[in-house]
Amino acid sequence: TGDLLLKIKAAGVNRADVLQRQGRYPPPPGASPTLGLEASGFVEQVGTEVEDWCEGDRACALLAGGGYAEHVAVPAGLCMPIPEGLSFEQAAAIPEVFATAYQTLFWLGDLQFGGRVLIHAGASGVGTAAIQLAREAGAHPIVTAGSERKLDACRALGAELAIDYKRGPFAPAVLEATDERGVDVILDFVAAPYWEQNLQCLAPEGRLILIGSLGGTRVEGFDLRVFLTKRLQVTGTTLRARSLDYKVRLVRALAAFALPRFADGRLRPIVDRVFSWAEVAKAHRYMEENRNIGKIVLAGM
């Protein structure tokens, strides 16, 4: 077969895990019902059709489920080698969030060198990944976050402007920073409460990429005229239910761009806290409280 069997050493915790546990985000057909969308570990067995992998190799993997298990079988094309110098805990913080950030920035958002991107939830796992990827691509990241501690972390990663959304509307600061032109791409996890401001913040031919809907999904009474006058695009996306071929191509593109940069330190996975496997409930509560900067990871006892 074309799979690798991984002995899992660490797994990333994602918002999707919390939603699945609550019954609000079921796994796609055929996926493991076990939580966990990214993991790292040793290759324990290599499928007969797999090349370029050996037993004992260190790997991290993008998963449709199963990351919280002891072992997981995963198509080899969804695995990446762990760069030297990175721990299993750091590697487990890469696949889901960096793949999501890469996909939304470059494949869906078509972010170009010199472009401007507004990243909401800038201190989240995807947010911290997106800031770094945008910076490495020569773009200009602007973020929103909810505390000075998170804003400082975003600035340290390369955010050129960090806005505290709790202090008032973010749109005026974004427009001022862009000489009233706006940004080319927005990555949004909040949805309905940010809808009007997002449209204000988009430059002509701008792209709004909806990754989540933490704030709600219904927008009442908005005017479609802005889409015509500014020639805007809105794209909704989830990565988990994409086809295997799509995800393999995405992992391949991410690996080519990111692995050399992880190896030399230009990119780094941001791990906030590591919980033991026995503390998974505590890890989920920590995520629900929005206390983390970067990733929450489960690892050894």
Side-chain angles (χ1 to χ4, degrees):
T1 70
D3 288 358
L4 300 177
L5 181 67
L6 292 187
K7 168 61 177 174
I8 294 176
K9 301 293 288 183
V13 177
N14 289 280
R15 184 73 59 176
D17 302 340
V18 174
L19 295 175
Q20 182 177 333
R21 191 200 79 230
Q22 295 170 342
R24 297 163 58 195
Y25 190 33
S32 169
T34 302
L35 301 180
L37 302 183
E38 58 191 341
S40 64
F42 289 110
V43 175
E44 202 161 87
Q45 292 183 33
V46 179
T48 56
E49 300 174 6
V50 176
E51 300 177 357
D52 302 326
W53 287 97
C54 299
E55 292 182 10
D57 285 348
R58 300 192 321 145
C60 59
L62 178 68
L63 306 169
Y68 290 17
E70 293 184 17
H71 292 84
V72 67
V74 57
L78 299 183
C79 296
M80 294 182 289
I82 299 175
E84 290 294 324
L86 291 188
S87 67
F88 286 116
E89 291 82 1
Q90 290 173 306
I94 292 173
E96 171 71 15
V97 292
F98 275 90
T100 296
Y102 189 93
Q103 175 211 23
T104 52
L105 286 171
F106 305 125
W107 283 17
L108 302 179
D110 193 29
L111 183 66
Q112 300 293 315
F113 182 91
R116 294 186 174 99
V117 56
L118 172 60
I119 302 165
H120 292 304
S124 66
V126 174
T128 55
I131 293 168
Q132 296 181 76
L133 290 172
R135 181 200 71 209
E136 285 300 305
H140 303 283
I142 297 170
V143 304
T144 63
S147 72
E148 198 59 41
R149 185 175 70 95
K150 291 183 176 182
L151 296 172
D152 286 342
C154 292
R155 294 185 190 102
L157 292 173
E160 297 182 7
L161 174 65
I163 304 163
D164 186 345
Y165 67 84
K166 293 182 179 179
R167 294 188 178 181
F170 57 82
V174 172
L175 291 170
E176 180 181 358
T178 59
D179 296 323
E180 303 302 319
R181 179 180 180 275
V183 297
D184 303 292
V185 181
I186 298 176
L187 305 189
D188 183 26
F189 307 82
V190 179
Y194 283 4
W195 180 257
E196 295 289 347
Q197 289 193 80
N198 280 339
L199 298 185
Q200 293 174 39
C201 288
L202 283 171
E205 301 186 2
R207 283 83 65 196
L208 169 60
I209 314 300
L210 291 173
I211 307 173
S213 56
L214 294 174
T217 57
R218 295 191 175 275
V219 179
E220 303 295 337
F222 66 89
D223 189 345
L224 289 170
R225 182 170 41 193
V226 67
F227 287 92
L228 299 172
T229 57
K230 293 172 74 172
R231 304 179 298 281
L232 303 180
Q233 299 178 37
V234 179
T235 302
T237 184
T238 58
L239 180 56
R240 186 183 194 182
R242 294 275 191 179
S243 70
L244 175 59
D245 175 70
Y246 183 97
K247 289 191 281 191
V248 167
R249 289 187 290 112
L250 177 59
V251 168
R252 187 180 298 131
L254 172 64
F257 183 90
L259 288 183
R261 290 173 166 85
F262 282 122
D264 65 18
R266 284 175 289 168
L267 290 175
R268 59 189 180 95
I270 307 301
V271 177
D272 181 285
R273 281 189 65 178
V274 178
F275 291 86
S276 80
W277 295 105
E279 296 178 311
V280 62
K282 186 176 179 182
H284 277 217
R285 284 196 300 272
Y286 187 72
M287 170 162 277
E288 292 174 69
E289 294 165 357
N290 294 317
R291 294 164 60 187
N292 55 298
I293 294 175
K295 291 293 295 182
I296 301 165
V297 173
L298 299 171
M301 299 294 285

